[in-house]
Structures are given as C-alpha cells and as structure tokens.
Amino acid sequence: MMEKTKDVTDIFANLDEKVDIIFRYNMLMNVYQSIPREYTPGFFMSEIEIHTLGFIQRCPGMTAKQICQLTFRTKGTVSSMLSKLEKDGFIEQKVNPENMREHNLYLTEKGEQTCRKHIAFDRRTTADYLMAASEYCTPEEINGYFKLTAFRTKYFEDVLQREKKRYAEIVKERKKESKK
C-alpha cells in the first residue's frame, strides 16, 4: 500500500514573510523578557532570574549546572546570577554532603513568596493573551500554536547542540592549524 505524501506547498507559501514574523516575535520577546519586574517590593528581577527561582522551586536541590542546561546560559553568567539571588535573600546554597564539590540550591521563604507572585503574574498574563487570541483564532488554532511551539523548542534545542559541537570542532581544528 502506498503512503500518501503530505502536500506542504501551502506551508512554504510566503516563506520570507513567515521568517520575518518569527524574527520579529523573537526580538520582541527578547525585549519583553529583559524588562525587570518588581515581584518583591524593592527588588526588580529579569525573566531569567524569576524563572530560575521557579526551576529551583519545582526541583529543590538542583545545581548550577542544571540551571545552565535549562537556561542555555554559561556557567559564569549563571554563577553571577545565583550569587545575586543569594545575596538578595531569594536562595541559599548548601554543600552536598555526598559530593563536597557540588552546591545544591534551595529557595528561602522570600524566594517562595516571590515565586508565588510570579506564578500569579504569568497565569494572569497568559490568560489575558489567550482571551485576546480567542478573538482572532479558534481553540484548535491556539492549541496548535502550543503544539508547534513545543516542537519548535525541541527542534532548536537539538540544532543548538549540533551547532555548538560543530563550532567547537572548527575552533579546535583552527587551533591545530595555527600551531603548524
């Protein structure tokens, strides 16, 4: 029995316009995420900081290395951020007694309260977005967006890993060549 081939012609229609839509969305989200918000009086946090607290809340005892993997940030960037969060009283680090080189991360009460406020903010913002989207899209289209976004995230996580590996190999090869 012959399998039907999907007709993807329509998907590729207006490809340049679709590329621009994705680019503008990504740029807009970068700006949106860079705006510090005051979840705790007197303390403004970036999206990366507040979501890091959320990761720690969902997985108490996680490590800085795990935060690096979740946020796609360098060890130095994450280390600086964690130091700031600890200094400001949102997290505490404890040495793992089974591996003295490993520090486990935990929220303080202040960190827990801040997370709760952020969860409420995210839920309210997302609900507002979904209500506005429902004026323009069907529920199936909205759910399709989330399905596609989940796929796109996984797809680009894989691309990122391949590109990082490829880049590291090129750098290594160039260093070998320059020593000749």
Side-chain angles (χ1 to χ4, degrees):
M1 181 176 254
M2 195 153 120
E3 207 175 301
K4 276 190 173 180
T5 305
K6 289 184 180 180
D7 181 9
V8 294
T9 307
D10 189 48
I11 293 171
F12 289 97
N14 305 315
L15 189 57
D16 290 339
E17 182 182 333
K18 290 173 181 172
V19 168
D20 286 344
I21 289 168
I22 290 169
F23 177 78
R24 287 192 43 74
Y25 171 80
N26 287 337
M27 292 300 100
L28 179 62
M29 289 311 296
N30 282 335
V31 172
Y32 175 80
Q33 291 171 346
S34 72
I35 299 168
R37 292 185 178 76
E38 190 176 21
Y39 299 105
T40 296
F43 291 93
F44 287 83
M45 296 184 135
S46 68
E47 286 278 311
I48 193 72
E49 291 168 328
I50 194 66
H51 280 273
T52 294
L53 292 183
F55 294 141
I56 297 168
Q57 182 187 46
R58 288 188 295 280
C59 188
M62 71 184 331
T63 64
K65 182 178 179 179
Q66 291 169 310
I67 298 291
C68 290
Q69 292 167 342
L70 289 167
T71 62
F72 303 102
R73 300 297 193 269
T74 65
K75 183 179 176 182
T77 300
V78 168
S79 179
S80 294
M81 177 183 56
L82 293 175
S83 292
K84 179 184 178 292
L85 291 172
E86 185 174 32
K87 180 180 148 276
D88 291 340
F90 295 100
I91 65 168
E92 57 185 353
Q93 299 186 47
K94 296 180 183 177
V95 175
N96 181 343
E98 295 173 15
N99 179 355
M100 300 299 277
R101 294 174 43 181
E102 183 178 276
H103 290 128
N104 300 109
L105 305 167
Y106 300 91
L107 293 184
T108 62
E109 182 54 37
K110 181 179 180 179
E112 289 284 351
Q113 289 173 355
T114 303
C115 269
R116 286 191 292 275
K117 289 178 183 177
H118 174 252
I119 289 167
F121 171 83
D122 265 359
R123 290 178 64 81
R124 187 173 54 254
T125 302
T126 302
D128 290 348
Y129 167 72
L130 291 173
M131 288 305 294
S134 71
E135 298 290 321
Y136 181 74
C137 302
T138 67
E140 293 79 16
E141 290 169 328
I142 293 169
N143 288 329
Y145 164 79
F146 285 102
K147 181 178 179 180
L148 186 58
T149 300
F151 170 79
R152 187 169 192 260
T153 300
K154 176 66 177 128
Y155 178 84
F156 280 104
E157 284 175 346
D158 295 344
V159 168
L160 179 66
Q161 292 306 316
R162 285 194 309 270
E163 289 293 315
K164 285 169 77 174
K165 182 179 176 184
R166 185 176 144 279
Y167 178 72
E169 289 169 357
I170 290 169
V171 168
K172 186 178 177 180
E173 189 60 37
R174 287 184 180 166
K175 283 183 181 179
K176 275 187 197 176
E177 289 175 9
S178 69
K179 289 181 182 180
K180 290 181 183 179

